[in-house]
Amino acid sequence: MLKIFIFILIIDPTLLFGKWDLKFAEAHFNMINSPAFHATPKEQQDEIIQVNELYLKNAYLEFKKDTVYWVDVNPRDKKIVHKKGKWIIIGDTLKIFDYDKIYTYNYLIELSREEELYTRLIFPNGDLARSRDVYSKIGF
C-alpha cells in the first residue's frame, strides 16, 4: 500500500508579534541597478530615488494580536502614510487585509533563527515575486 505524507509548513503566529524594521528591499536594489532605470532621465531617477529612500528609511511591520501596522509612501506628495489592517497566517502565507484600500496582500514568509523575517509578495494571479524583503526584529 502506498502511503503519502504531506508536509505542511506551519508558522506560529506569535513569533511575529512585535516590531520588525526593514533591513533590505531586494526589489528596490534591483530597480536602481536595472538598465531601464539608467535609461530614465536624471530628474526622474532622482525622484524615484527620493521616494525609495523615504520608504527604506521608514518601513516596518508591527504585529499585535490581530492587527498589523506598517508604512507606505505617497509618491506624489513624498510623504509617509501610516497603514493599519488585520493579519493572519495560513501555512507559510501571511495575509494582510488593508483597511484603507479594502485589499489583501499575500506574502510567502520565512523566519530565521537570527530573528529575521523574509517576505515575498504573491501577486493576485498567484505568481511569486522574484525579490524579497528582509526585516529584523526590534528589541530581540
Side-chain angles (χ1 to χ4, degrees):
M1 173 181 269
L2 178 64
K3 293 184 181 181
I4 299 175
F5 294 96
I6 299 175
F7 176 73
I8 298 174
L9 179 63
I10 298 176
I11 297 174
D12 179 0
T14 62
L15 296 175
L16 290 183
F17 287 0
K19 190 170 183 180
W20 300 79
D21 272 343
L22 182 64
K23 183 176 174 180
F24 180 70
E26 194 173 9
H28 295 284
F29 176 81
N30 292 342
M31 182 191 63
I32 299 289
N33 290 299
S34 72
F37 178 78
H38 291 288
T40 303
K42 174 86 168 96
E43 184 178 300
Q44 198 172 357
Q45 285 181 8
D46 292 343
E47 192 168 312
I48 291 168
I49 289 171
Q50 184 181 11
V51 169
N52 278 322
E53 285 181 355
L54 183 61
Y55 176 77
L56 295 171
K57 289 178 184 175
N58 293 283
Y60 70 89
L61 293 169
E62 185 173 4
F63 296 94
K64 303 231 174 172
K65 185 177 179 181
D66 63 354
T67 305
V68 61
Y69 302 89
W70 72 98
V71 296
D72 203 352
V73 173
N74 180 329
R76 286 185 213 98
D77 299 339
K78 295 182 184 72
K79 291 186 179 178
I80 294 293
V81 178
H82 293 273
K83 308 285 279 179
K84 179 180 176 182
K86 287 233 181 258
W87 69 280
I88 61 170
I89 293 179
I90 299 174
D92 59 358
T93 302
L94 169 65
K95 293 182 169 284
I96 295 179
F97 305 96
D98 186 337
Y99 288 153
D100 294 332
K101 291 185 179 180
I102 309 175
Y103 186 80
T104 302
Y105 300 96
N106 294 299
Y107 298 93
L108 178 68
I109 62 169
E110 179 184 334
L111 286 167
S112 76
R113 292 183 184 179
E114 294 79 34
E115 292 299 313
E116 288 185 336
L117 170 64
Y118 304 98
T119 64
R120 289 176 63 189
L121 182 66
I122 302 170
F123 294 105
N125 68 358
D127 288 347
L128 188 60
R130 290 179 293 173
S131 305
R132 69 181 183 173
D133 289 342
V134 181
Y135 293 86
S136 292
K137 193 159 194 179
I138 297 177
F140 174 70

